[in-house]
Amino acid sequence: MKFSQVVYVLSCAASAIASRAVQGLHRRGDHVSPRPQIVYSPETPTTPPPTPKQRNVTCFVESHGDYATDDSEFILDAFHKCNNGGHVVFRESETYIIGTAMDWTFLQSIDIDIQGEILFSNDTTYWQANSFPFIFQNVTSFFKLGGDDVFIYGGGTLNGNGQVWYDAYAANIYTLRPVLVGVDGLTNSIVSDLVLRYSPEYYHFVANASNVVFNNIDIAGGSVSENPAKNTDGWDTYRSNSVTIQNSVINNGDDCVSFKPNSTNILVQSLFCNGSHGISVGSLGQYVGEYDIVEHVFVSNISMHNASDGARIKIWPNTASAVSGDLQGGGGDGRVNNITYTDFFIDNVDYAIEVDQCYGQKNLTLCLEYPSPLTITNVVFNGFQGVTSDHYMPQVANFACSSTTACSNIVSTDFDVLSPNGTNEAYCLNFEQEVLDGVTCVDTLLGFN
Ligand SMILES: *[C@@H]1O[C@H](CO)[C@@H](O)[C@H](O)[C@H]1NC(C)=O
Ligand SMILES: *[C@@H]1O[C@H](CO)[C@@H](O)[C@H](O)[C@H]1NC(C)=O
Ligand SMILES: *[C@@H]1O[C@H](CO)[C@@H](O)[C@H](O)[C@H]1NC(C)=O
Ligand SMILES: *[C@@H]1O[C@H](CO)[C@@H](O)[C@H](O)[C@H]1NC(C)=O
Ligand SMILES: *[C@@H]1O[C@H](CO)[C@@H](O)[C@H](O)[C@H]1NC(C)=O
Ligand SMILES: *[C@@H]1O[C@H](CO)[C@@H](O)[C@H](O)[C@H]1NC(C)=O
Ligand SMILES: *[C@@H]1O[C@H](CO)[C@@H](O)[C@H](O)[C@H]1NC(C)=O
Ligand SMILES: *[C@@H]1O[C@H](CO)[C@@H](O)[C@H](O)[C@H]1NC(C)=O
Ligand SMILES: *[C@@H]1O[C@H](CO)[C@@H](O)[C@H](O)[C@H]1NC(C)=O
Ligand SMILES: *[C@@H]1O[C@H](CO)[C@@H](O)[C@H](O)[C@H]1NC(C)=O
Ligand SMILES: *[C@@H]1O[C@H](CO)[C@@H](O)[C@H](O)[C@H]1NC(C)=O
């Protein structure tokens, strides 16, 4: 296929596109996907979610079709041709290869209909030199998605070709692994009905987003070598306001969703998480001199299986600490306020709830000597039920504040979680037993980070 555009207007037989202008060569089987209906349940976002206008022109993305040659130019061509009111289709029968870092922050009033597969090349040298930096925790991405009034759907697959990255990271922890979906500056947009596989690192890093919805996303991918797929968070939000994440299935090996610095008005609901580190506020307080805010977060109707945590708040202490060589920090300030975790089903999870201000620090004495100045206020854990793993048995939760002043009004109500042998103990530090329904506070610390 030559890289020349055939403009083909109003002569296609497929009824779904008969009334539109079509750009690109029309092929048998070409069709546009109907837009998905987005249902918000059990909660409705506090900011009215986006309602994109209809588009009036369609662009099919061409492909070399050889499973090897970079198709990026075809993609950019279709995005530019159909920007400002069009509908771009990635054909159902195609695998598109991406071997070039693409800046997609120019998108405006566009539907992106991914029916086929988008596969990122395995050239770790190229990607480490060219992927987009996101400042926070050395995050980079294959592409940068941004703009306004973008509606992505279609049921297709984004495949991060993760195995080469899992192996490269095992050989060198400073390998910069791209996240699969990098969002920077996206507003009034919806991403729905996608299959995400084998991300090298996080599946989504959502930065500078406002009024964005993620719906019906199917996440999975693991390693087939002895090197595990590490840091495969489902979603991380950062510098973002009014984000909804819902109706999704996440099979991964790190946070199912996590709220990084300056995440506000976030709604997370109706997720099935398997194998994760739970739904986490943080980590926060990582960088000296920074003030991190996570506020007005509502997490509801979560089914949490085979995880280290259900609901978690993780804060670095006020002293230099390290989880690993490539993850170090401590000494930052900030606030966590108005967080609700409600209706959690717990199945084989190490801690149903974990509040921790000693993230990355193995020396508890040091944490108490240098408690985090970051405050945690107005947090509700409500309606947890199920059975934990035997990892911290007889304990089922951990409520630890490093000082008497940092935490206030953190409560657990309607907590009905037991360990496999029927116990409900929890380590409590600077917490009042009276506000922690359903657990028996003890002062023996079993698990730590
Ligand atoms: C499509 O809609 C846009 C904005 O609504 C308009 O500017 C443009 O002329 C329309 N294009 C066609 C081909 O109808
Ligand atoms: C990388 O992908 C190419 C095909 O594009 C393949 O020939 C090669 O074996 C792959 N390399 C690795 C290390 O998987
Ligand atoms: C987000 O927006 C800020 C302010 O415009 C900008 O400095 C930053 O580079 C953007 N991206 C990220 C990842 O923070
Ligand atoms: C970022 O990477 C550098 C080396 O590439 C490493 O020294 C540093 O610890 C990393 N920082 C974080 C926050 O991961
Ligand atoms: C978060 O917001 C606070 C208050 O506006 C600001 O001081 C801080 O720099 C922001 N942090 C980031 C990472 O944007
Ligand atoms: C709760 O989430 C599950 C998926 O885990 C979904 O099937 C169910 O419909 C959700 N309930 C409500 C009330 O939205
Ligand atoms: C949950 O994860 C485990 C371990 O990876 C896997 O065996 C199991 O099939 C997963 N469950 C579902 C429903 O995907
Ligand atoms: C707490 O956050 C919720 C959104 O989760 C919001 O509706 C509510 O107004 C906030 N409450 C306060 C007191 O700010
Ligand atoms: C939890 O993991 C076990 C073992 O890997 C697996 O058999 C089981 O299906 C998982 N649970 C769910 C709900 O997927
Ligand atoms: C832990 O920190 C305390 C207080 O600074 C120090 O006295 C102690 O030696 C440290 N323990 C270890 C094992 O490093
Ligand atoms: C539960 O298991 C723990 C750890 O093995 C043990 O200390 C405790 O006595 C057990 N409790 C019951 C009720 O069996």
Side-chain angles (χ1 to χ4, degrees):
M1 178 65 53
K2 280 266 186 55
F3 186 65
S4 63
Q5 198 71 14
V6 181
V7 180
Y8 195 91
V9 180
L10 289 184
S11 56
C12 184
S15 61
I17 56 174
S19 59
R20 296 165 177 250
V22 178
Q23 304 233 318
L25 186 64
H26 182 228
R27 286 200 219 149
R28 185 186 297 272
D30 278 355
H31 59 283
V32 302
S33 303
R35 283 176 162 183
Q37 192 80 34
I38 314 293
V39 176
Y40 299 92
S41 176
E43 304 295 326
T44 306
T46 47
T47 305
T51 51
K53 288 202 177 57
Q54 287 304 320
R55 315 303 184 199
N56 56 13
V57 56
T58 300
C59 300
F60 287 92
V61 184
E62 299 305 331
S63 160
H64 294 90
D66 62 3
Y67 215 78
T69 313
D70 184 9
D71 292 315
S72 301
E73 268 190 88
F74 289 131
I75 295 169
L76 286 174
D77 187 61
F79 281 5
H80 281 294
K81 283 210 167 65
C82 259
N83 209 21
N84 299 302
H87 182 142
V88 169
V89 181
F90 288 82
R91 291 188 168 100
E92 191 170 7
S93 55
E94 293 290 350
T95 292
Y96 296 86
I97 304 295
I98 296 189
T100 303
M102 280 181 282
D103 185 339
W104 294 343
T105 55
F106 61 87
L107 297 174
Q108 171 69 52
S109 299
I110 188 168
D111 278 25
I112 299 175
D113 179 359
I114 303 170
Q115 300 170 6
E117 182 181 36
I118 295 177
L119 176 65
F120 294 87
S121 79
N122 60 16
D123 187 344
T124 55
T125 306
Y126 169 81
W127 287 113
Q128 289 194 81
N130 293 282
S131 54
F132 296 100
F134 276 69
I135 313 163
F136 183 76
Q137 283 188 350
N138 291 350
V139 170
T140 69
S141 71
F142 284 127
F143 60 85
K144 196 157 68 161
L145 172 66
D148 185 61
D149 187 23
V150 180
F151 197 172
I152 304 181
Y153 51 90
T157 300
L158 267 57
N159 184 337
N161 222 335
Q163 190 64 50
V164 286
W165 295 99
Y166 312 146
D167 295 335
Y169 183 72
N172 176 4
I173 60 166
Y174 298 106
T175 305
L176 286 178
R177 299 159 292 164
V179 306
L180 186 54
V181 178
V183 170
D184 194 354
L186 185 66
T187 56
N188 307 308
S189 295
I190 302 173
V191 181
S192 186
D193 298 65
L194 290 182
V195 176
L196 305 184
R197 291 289 179 267
Y198 305 107
S199 180
E201 205 196 5
Y202 310 154
Y203 279 85
H204 301 83
F205 193 79
V206 181
N208 291 328
S210 171
N211 200 19
V212 172
V213 174
F214 294 91
N215 178 71
N216 191 25
I217 309 293
D218 172 342
I219 290 176
S223 173
V224 296
S225 74
E226 71 281 12
N227 305 315
K230 290 220 174 138
N231 311 112
T232 51
D233 299 16
W235 284 263
D236 280 18
T237 59
Y238 178 70
R239 293 178 159 174
S240 290
N241 182 48
S242 294
V243 174
T244 297
I245 297 168
Q246 62 167 23
N247 303 328
S248 295
V249 174
I250 301 95
N251 276 281
N252 70 343
D254 207 316
D255 296 336
C256 190
V257 181
S258 82
F259 314 112
K260 302 297 192 209
N262 297 6
S263 295
T264 53
N265 295 296
I266 313 286
L267 172 61
V268 174
Q269 61 183 354
S270 302
L271 303 186
F272 176 97
C273 306
N274 178 30
S276 80
H277 292 178
I279 299 191
S280 303
V281 171
S283 60
L284 302 181
Q286 183 172 359
Y287 300 113
V288 174
E290 297 218 359
Y291 193 89
D292 298 341
I293 299 170
V294 174
E295 208 161 35
H296 313 315
V297 173
F298 204 93
V299 183
S300 174
N301 186 34
I302 306 295
S303 183
M304 185 65 70
H305 308 263
N306 294 320
S308 70
D309 294 87
R312 185 174 185 184
I313 298 177
K314 46 180 173 179
I315 313 295
W316 294 82
N318 202 12
T319 182
S321 304
V323 171
S324 57
D326 60 333
L327 188 54
Q328 310 195 10
D333 199 351
R335 69 170 182 268
V336 173
N337 177 48
N338 186 23
I339 314 289
T340 300
Y341 284 100
T342 188
D343 300 305
F344 266 62
F345 177 69
I346 295 294
D347 160 35
N348 193 30
V349 171
D350 299 346
Y351 277 141
I353 298 171
E354 182 177 12
V355 177
D356 169 24
Q357 286 197 307
C358 199
Y359 186 67
Q361 180 53 254
K362 296 272 176 282
N363 187 337
L364 180 62
T365 313
L366 209 49
C367 282
L368 300 179
E369 237 170 70
Y370 300 96
S372 171
L374 193 147
T375 57
I376 309 177
T377 56
N378 306 312
V379 179
V380 177
F381 299 100
N382 174 67
F384 280 60
Q385 54 168 295
V387 181
T388 63
S389 73
D390 61 8
H391 197 77
Y392 299 126
M393 204 161 73
Q395 298 185 6
V396 298
N398 183 320
F399 296 94
C401 254
S402 303
S403 69
T404 51
T405 50
C407 300
S408 68
N409 194 26
I410 305 177
V411 304
S412 164
T413 53
D414 194 13
F415 183 87
D416 187 13
V417 175
L418 297 174
S419 79
N421 72 0
T423 53
N424 70 354
E425 291 181 9
Y427 172 69
C428 303
L429 176 67
N430 295 318
F431 265 87
E432 301 296 332
Q433 166 77 71
E434 294 73 54
V435 299
L436 300 178
D437 170 68
V439 303
T440 305
C441 281
V442 298
D443 53 17
T444 312
L445 177 61
L446 293 183
F448 209 27
N449 300 317

